[in-house]
């Protein structure tokens, strides 16, 4: 049995915990965090503690905390013999203050109480020793069929790409919802369009799937849209994105 300790009580920590409980050959030894109330959700199957000086011995320690706290938290594991891995997409592996450094990065968006299927989630791993890498690979494959060895520089760029396709896109959804509500319309009217766009990029390049007035350089439509926008930041975004799309496809116009 591979003994695991998770440090952190946020969304990712909870989803990893739930996934590992269902996995074969994994012993969820302990969850460590500063919030006693949040720790209660882990207490049924693992020991819990707020004392970072009382961290149990384990084969792998997964640090799932805010990026700014990763280095500081890892100091509590500096004398541990197990592998210390953080779960961030944006932080270098060498930020860890431990003997055996590693990264265990699930590339997905995690929301509280929204169940996810880990079996197809890409898990990006990195380690400073071959033996540690093999252990992490086994751990990752216990919950996912989609495991990749990726170094810190590649992972940082991948995380940046994820921000564009997920965080920024979701913010644009929120603008779309706001515009609908201004006219008493339901956001549900846009959901089929969102799904079709998502489906298209499963089989097409996003560049090839691009449509819309900026792609066609339909100046009249774009001017009409700008007249309908009330917020300065929405106008700025519309202009910036339209210009970027136009430039990306100017050879096709």
């Amino acid at each position: 049995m591979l003994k695991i300790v998770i440090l952190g009580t946020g969304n990712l920590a909870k989803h990893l915990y739930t996934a590992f409980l269902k996995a074969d050959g994994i012993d969820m030894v302990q969850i460590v965090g500063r919030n006693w109330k949040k720790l209660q959700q882990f207490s049924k199957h693992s020991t819990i503690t707020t004392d970072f000086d009382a961290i149990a011995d384990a084969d792998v320690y997964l640090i799932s905390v805010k990026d700014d706290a990763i280095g500081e938290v890892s100091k509590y594991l500096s004398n541990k013999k197990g592998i210390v891995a953080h779960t961030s997409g944006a932080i270098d592996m060498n930020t860890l203050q431990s003997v055996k450094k590693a990264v265990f990065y699930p590339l997905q968006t995690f929301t509280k109480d929204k169940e996810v299927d880990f079996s197809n989630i890409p898990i990006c791993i990195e380690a400073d020793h071959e033996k540690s890498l093999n252990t992490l690979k086994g751990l990752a494959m216990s919950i996912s069929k989609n495991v990749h060895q990726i170094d810190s520089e590649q992972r940082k760029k991948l995380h940046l790409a994820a921000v564009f396709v997920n965080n920024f896109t979701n913010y644009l959804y929120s603008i779309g919802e706001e515009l609908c509500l201004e006219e008493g319309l339901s956001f549900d009217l846009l959901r089929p369009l969102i799904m079709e766009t998502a489906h298209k990029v499963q089989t097409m390049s996003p560049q090839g799937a691009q449509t819309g007035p900026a792609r066609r350089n339909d100046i009249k439509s774009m001017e009409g849209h700008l007249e309908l926008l009330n917020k300065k930041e929405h106008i700025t975004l519309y202009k910036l994105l339209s210009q970027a799309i136009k430039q990306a496809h100017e050879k096709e116009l």
Side-chain angles (χ1 to χ4, degrees), residues 17-18 20 46-47 57 74 81 97 101 103 117 121 146 164 175 177 186 192 200 202 224 226-227 237 239 243-244 247:
Y17 173 78
T18 301
F20 285 136
S46 304
T47 62
D57 290 332
S74 71
K81 295 181 180 179
Q97 306 295 309
K101 301 177 177 66
V103 178
D117 178 9
I121 292 177
N146 197 352
F164 271 94
I175 295 176
E177 181 179 40
S186 172
K200 278 199 293 187
Q202 304 306 311
L226 288 168
E227 290 176 2
L237 267 175
K239 288 180 177 179
Q243 182 62 26
Q247 288 179 349

Side-chain angles (χ1 to χ4, degrees), residues 148-247:
H148 304 268
Q149 182 182 346
I150 293 177
D151 66 35
S152 286
E153 291 306 310
Q154 291 174 314
R155 179 168 38 79
K156 289 176 185 178
K157 189 63 71 71
L158 182 63
H159 184 261
L160 173 60
V163 168
F164 271 94
V165 303
N166 174 246
N167 304 136
F168 290 169
T169 302
N170 190 72
Y171 177 69
L172 295 178
Y173 292 160
S174 73
I175 295 176
E177 181 179 40
E178 184 177 331
L179 294 172
C180 285
L181 293 176
E182 287 175 359
E183 295 300 321
L185 299 171
S186 172
F187 183 68
D188 288 345
L189 291 168
L190 294 176
R191 295 187 195 277
L193 175 62
I194 291 170
M195 293 303 296
E196 176 61 17
T197 303
H199 285 314
K200 278 199 293 187
V201 296
Q202 304 306 311
T203 56
M204 297 176 64
S205 161
Q207 179 85 356
Q210 186 71 56
T211 61
R215 164 68 177 77
R216 301 187 301 270
N217 195 28
D218 186 344
I219 295 173
K220 188 174 181 179
S221 290
M222 290 188 284
E223 288 177 345
H225 287 165
L226 288 168
E227 290 176 2
L228 293 171
L229 293 171
N230 300 314
K231 291 186 176 180
K232 187 179 295 184
E233 60 268 32
H234 292 173
I235 292 171
T236 300
L237 267 175
Y238 188 97
K239 288 180 177 179
L240 283 171
L241 290 173
S242 294
Q243 182 62 26
I245 292 169
K246 181 181 175 181
Q247 288 179 349

